[in-house]
Amino acid sequence: MSETESNPPAEDEPNRERTFGDYGGQYVPEALMPALQELEDAYQRYVLDNEDGFMDEFRERMRDFGGRPTPLQRADRLSKRYDREIYLKREDLVHGGAHKLNNALGQVLLAKYMGKERIIAETGAGQHGTATAMAATHLDMPCEIYMGRTDVNRQRPNVYRMRMNGAEVNPVDAGSGTLKEAINETMRDWATTVERTHYVIGSIVGPHPFPRLVRDFQSVISAEARDQIQEQAGRLPDSVVACAGGGSNTMGTFHEFVPDSSVDLYAVEAGGSSLEIDQDEGLAPNSATLSTGTDGVLHGAMTKLLQTTDGQIVESHSVSAGLDYAGVGPELSHLVDTGRVTPASVDDDAALNAFHRLSNLEGIIPALESSHALGFLEEAHEELGDLVVVNVSGRGDKDLETVLEETENRDLDAAPDVEVFDT
Amino acid sequence: MSGEQTAAIESDIEAAIREDHPALITYITAGDPSLEDTKEYVEALDCGGSDLIELGLPFSEPIAEGPTIQAAINRALDAGTTPARFFELVDELETDAPLLVMTYYNMILQYGSEPDVRPFVERAADAGLSGIIVPDLPAEEADPLRDACDEHGLDLVFIVAPTTAGERLDRIMSQVSGFAYVQARLGTTGARADVSNATHDSLTRLSAYDVPKAVGFGVSEGDHAAEIIEAGADGVIVGSALVDLIAEHGTGDAPAADALESKARELKRGARRGGEQRNGHEQGREEAPEPEQP
């Protein structure tokens, strides 16, 4: 490897700290507090101190089972289009087709080290559910996934994948039947079975220590990318771009760059169809929590939220199911408040165009989530400097049906003629 | 009763538990199916012998509730229940039993114009509420709310779970005001057919602490109340069984009022019976003093 700068492994903040500035904490039912303490202890011993070689086993399994490291690829035609160097971090090549396995495998392995006997998880689009089901089967742990009824109906292939891998899928009928309700129900299961069950939360959300734990498993993305860009381009990038829903790929992509003050960090949220909230109906036609949210408590943490002035959580929206969440990780809220991370948003149309553009220009079909980061590149590349890293958090095969349908209903510049498929 | 620092002044809640010991604590969700019905239902529970009444202020993400109370919360939200209208209802209520509000932390935090717990507590005190229970607020996060409650003379009730033990249990019991809400079993709220073994274990574990203990989660019948009181509790908390009655009776002119009143009587009778049985055991073992009950 060429001469590369590296950040000291230790952080300024103690890892046992329950908050990130004003955000984070442990706003959960009392019954779960002992389990969070147990998890905190396991996080310290196995993840931070590598007790019993936990992290060695995790890295080895991520290599052999997960396919890491993933490449950092120079995108030649995008670089030409934007007249600057664009590099793509290819998390779409992780086993399962997204960055989700980094966290799922880490937590299932941790549960095993902790002596837990059962895995539960929530899933929205099904990406975290499928990653958890894969990891649980790989490590021979029984696994149940909670998924909103609406999501079950619109993400059938992922339901089948989870069941193929031996997981039980429990549809959740409450509310709008999406991610928020699935998290509620998984927390209820956990509050009942906490003594022998581990809850594999799917993002950097939830009560401490989950936001740190998930970030640490995901930070392999930035650890690799930071070395790779220095090796391939000879220096640190001017900016790093990632999409943000709950924020696990975002913090994974940013974490090792946070101390590099010369590197600008952009978290691109789903702008949906509009950034306004309908207070009366309790609906947000977007998931732009970092850009438009207000401080409050949801799912165990103080963070930025989409909520009414009374404090009811609103239904969010995005064409990308994986970004469709009314909350966001507390660490991202903190980094936005301190100015270290710049929030941005890209609407449904721009994300769909970016999906088609990357497919057309680079031969990579990105997830609709990742397409938001790529849409931001189209809109704001002039502000991003000469050397840009964009995280392609997942592949878009899962989104083909949505994209075909949405493309027919919209006027998208970058879309090919999809009618060719109608015979 | 609740700790050396505040022992001098007994709160409304502590007095209510002591005066008609053992206590019946009842819960319904405000606004289910309408705030007008809630007014009638609270009066029915008061007449039926409730010593304390908890009113649920509905939050869209009730992670501690089972299906019964989740459904009640949805009905209340659909009926347009807001914190402002909730407090207007409480302003109008005149009950013998002190009232508590049970709600999730975000509802408390968002009541003012900025995220801050104080405006909610101030309004709660103005409305005549005596205490607050927050199912998603463990002791570790409770300092701001406890300070505000102390300032306005409200009790902040903490939940003790079957998993709570050791240092954390000591810490919670030293911070209890009003009563300790003893969660009878792991999981969520909801009526059950029996009293969990965890209840007996928890009451044994808590017997060394000199604070009032009320047991909730799954209590639905007079016989459960008797068993729990006999096992050493100072009160029973019943919610889902009452919410079930409200759901069964549907909408109309407060159609569940009579059913709620007679259910409360059944539960209170059960609690008294348990108290007498416990006193009987104590008399058997030693020459017990005169029972407190008339």
Side-chain angles (χ1 to χ4, degrees):
Chain A
M1 198 183 286
S2 65
E3 190 90 4
T4 60
E5 305 166 45
S6 75
N7 287 317
E11 298 181 45
D12 300 342
E13 49 184 9
N15 276 297
R16 296 189 77 94
E17 184 98 12
R18 289 164 45 246
T19 56
F20 303 92
D22 295 334
Y23 299 103
Q26 295 176 307
Y27 298 88
V28 294
E30 169 60 28
L32 295 179
M33 289 300 290
L36 293 178
Q37 284 192 325
E38 188 188 340
L39 185 60
E40 235 179 294
D41 182 54
Y43 169 54
Q44 179 70 46
R45 286 165 51 203
Y46 298 122
V47 179
L48 300 177
D49 301 341
N50 193 27
E51 192 175 309
D52 299 341
F54 172 84
M55 285 303 287
D56 303 328
E57 180 174 353
F58 170 60
R59 290 193 190 100
E60 188 182 311
R61 288 183 187 274
M62 278 312 299
R63 184 190 68 208
D64 299 345
F65 179 69
R68 299 212 74 94
T70 60
L72 181 75
Q73 180 210 341
R74 183 178 186 277
D76 295 337
R77 294 181 67 186
L78 282 187
S79 296
K80 196 169 168 209
R81 178 179 177 90
Y82 300 128
D83 193 23
R84 64 207 65 224
E85 297 289 299
I86 308 293
Y87 282 82
L88 304 176
K89 180 60 175 165
R90 298 288 308 277
E91 290 299 292
D92 58 310
L93 296 176
V94 177
H95 176 42
H99 71 293
K100 290 290 182 187
L101 186 68
N102 301 332
N103 168 48
L105 188 74
Q107 283 200 57
V108 175
L109 188 64
L110 186 63
K112 217 171 166 112
Y113 273 61
M114 290 169 74
K116 299 287 178 182
E117 296 162 9
R118 174 175 173 261
I119 294 298
I120 55 173
E122 87 292 343
T123 197
Q127 293 307 105
H128 175 58
T130 53
T132 305
M134 283 171 0
T137 301
H138 174 65
L139 292 166
D140 193 19
M141 295 272 273
C143 174
E144 284 182 49
I145 306 290
Y146 288 90
M147 185 170 187
R149 178 74 69 181
T150 308
D151 288 334
V152 167
N153 292 334
R154 66 183 177 186
Q155 306 285 344
R156 290 213 164 267
N158 275 339
V159 176
Y160 294 135
R161 287 171 74 192
M162 289 183 261
R163 293 174 62 174
M164 299 276 171
N165 283 330
E168 222 175 285
V169 179
N170 302 319
V172 179
D173 287 313
S176 61
T178 59
L179 177 61
K180 184 162 69 70
E181 289 78 22
I183 296 178
N184 292 345
E185 203 55 33
T186 318
M187 285 197 159
R188 291 182 187 116
D189 179 316
W190 202 33
T192 313
T193 59
V194 59
E195 287 155 315
R196 57 180 200 92
T197 297
H198 178 69
Y199 175 11
V200 178
I201 206 162
S203 192
I204 56 162
V205 301
H208 174 72
F210 281 112
R212 284 177 203 278
L213 176 68
V214 176
R215 176 204 67 196
D216 285 359
F217 287 137
Q218 290 292 1
S219 67
V220 63
I221 304 172
S222 50
E224 288 175 7
R226 195 173 178 282
D227 284 347
Q228 289 165 325
I229 192 76
Q230 290 179 91
E231 193 173 346
Q232 294 169 228
R235 68 177 180 95
L236 288 171
D238 297 312
S239 48
V240 175
V241 180
C243 65
S248 71
N249 99 87
T250 333
M251 270 322 297
T253 307
F254 291 171
H255 182 63
E256 295 291 333
F257 291 107
V258 168
D260 299 321
S261 55
S262 67
V263 180
D264 293 337
L265 306 173
Y266 292 90
V268 186
E269 302 186 288
S273 56
S274 158
L275 289 183
E276 299 298 314
I277 288 185
D278 182 337
Q279 289 281 343
D280 295 333
E281 292 296 318
L283 295 174
N286 64 72
S287 307
T289 317
L290 291 169
S291 312
T292 69
T294 52
D295 294 354
V297 168
L298 175 65
H299 294 142
M302 178 83 72
T303 188
K304 292 183 187 291
L305 302 177
L306 299 178
Q307 58 184 333
T308 67
T309 50
D310 279 345
Q312 307 293 359
I313 309 306
V314 304
E315 301 295 342
S316 54
H317 161 80
S318 167
V319 68
S320 144
L323 299 184
D324 193 348
Y325 180 55
V328 66
E331 185 170 18
L332 273 174
S333 291
H334 174 64
L335 291 174
V336 165
D337 273 9
T338 59
R340 182 66 192 94
V341 168
T342 306
S345 66
V346 159
D347 66 19
D348 288 346
D349 282 1
L352 286 159
N353 271 321
F355 176 98
H356 288 302
R357 199 175 297 113
L358 195 74
S359 305
N360 269 321
L361 289 181
E362 296 288 350
I364 299 167
I365 298 179
L368 274 174
E369 291 79 11
S370 324
S371 300
H372 286 73
L374 296 156
F376 182 69
L377 193 60
E378 174 79 7
E379 290 179 3
H381 52 88
E382 286 177 2
E383 300 158 30
L384 301 181
D386 297 329
L387 183 58
V388 183
V389 171
V390 182
N391 190 39
V392 181
S393 56
R395 68 177 184 223
D397 309 47
K398 68 184 176 63
D399 295 316
L400 290 185
E401 225 170 292
T402 308
V403 170
L404 284 173
E405 194 181 313
E406 296 289 342
T407 300
E408 283 193 35
N409 295 338
R410 295 166 194 257
D411 185 18
L412 301 174
D413 304 340
D417 183 3
V418 291
E419 279 171 44
V420 71
F421 298 114
D422 294 332
T423 48
Chain B
M1 264 166 119
S2 74
E4 293 79 341
Q5 314 94 311
T6 55
I9 307 162
E10 187 180 60
S11 73
D12 296 348
I13 291 175
E14 289 162 336
I17 292 174
R18 185 180 47 76
E19 275 165 16
D20 191 13
H21 195 271
L24 170 63
I25 303 170
T26 50
Y27 165 95
I28 58 174
T29 302
D32 169 29
S34 75
L35 285 166
E36 292 73 34
D37 292 321
T38 301
K39 187 164 186 285
E40 305 280 323
Y41 291 164
V42 168
E43 283 160 9
L45 293 171
D46 195 38
C47 287
S50 303
D51 298 292
L52 294 168
I53 299 172
E54 291 175 20
L55 283 171
L57 169 61
F59 175 52
S60 58
E61 318 302 321
I63 55 171
E65 316 299 348
T68 302
I69 294 180
Q70 285 179 49
I73 286 172
N74 287 337
R75 290 191 295 270
L77 289 173
D78 288 346
T81 308
T82 62
R85 297 182 64 197
F86 167 80
F87 283 127
E88 285 164 20
L89 166 77
V90 178
D91 285 334
E92 286 174 28
L93 286 170
E94 287 174 21
T95 54
D96 290 336
L99 301 173
L100 296 93
V101 55
M102 180 155 187
T103 195
Y104 288 77
Y105 194 57
N106 199 46
M107 297 303 295
I108 296 173
L109 209 51
Q110 306 304 331
Y111 184 70
S113 49
E114 296 287 316
D116 181 1
V117 297
R118 285 171 299 186
F120 182 95
V121 176
E122 195 179 335
R123 182 70 181 88
D126 276 354
L129 287 161
S130 300
I132 303 184
I133 307 177
V134 190
D136 63 345
L137 190 70
E140 282 79 351
E141 303 291 354
D143 285 348
L145 187 59
R146 195 173 35 240
D147 290 348
C149 283
D150 286 350
E151 189 183 328
H152 292 279
L154 265 65
D155 282 333
L156 179 58
V157 173
F158 285 101
I159 295 172
V160 177
T163 47
T164 312
E167 249 178 78
R168 294 197 66 259
L169 180 60
D170 285 341
R171 194 162 2 122
I172 292 170
M173 292 310 266
S174 72
Q175 291 175 2
V176 162
S177 64
F179 62 91
Y181 187 132
V182 181
Q183 185 182 330
R185 62 186 85 221
L186 282 176
T188 52
T189 57
R192 308 293 163 91
D194 60 353
V195 173
S196 126
N197 287 334
T199 307
H200 298 271
D201 296 345
S202 292
L203 288 170
T204 308
R205 205 154 33 101
L206 297 177
S207 59
Y209 298 91
D210 183 25
V211 298
K213 302 158 200 83
V215 175
F217 277 49
V219 185
S220 65
E221 289 170 21
D223 289 345
H224 300 165
E227 188 179 339
I228 288 165
I229 297 298
E230 194 180 347
D234 299 287
V236 290
I237 307 167
V238 182
S240 295
L242 302 169
V243 171
D244 275 335
L245 289 175
I246 293 174
E248 278 165 27
H249 284 77
T251 53
D253 190 11
D258 292 345
L260 288 173
E261 187 175 334
S262 61
K263 188 71 183 178
R265 284 191 202 289
E266 174 201 325
L267 292 160
K268 182 70 189 182
R269 272 198 306 274
R272 286 209 175 102
R273 195 164 68 243
E276 284 154 17
Q277 279 159 351
R278 187 167 75 195
N279 288 338
H281 299 318
E282 283 167 8
Q283 275 172 349
R285 264 182 260 121
E286 54 195 279
E287 287 310 308
E290 220 172 290
E292 241 176 49
Q293 293 307 311

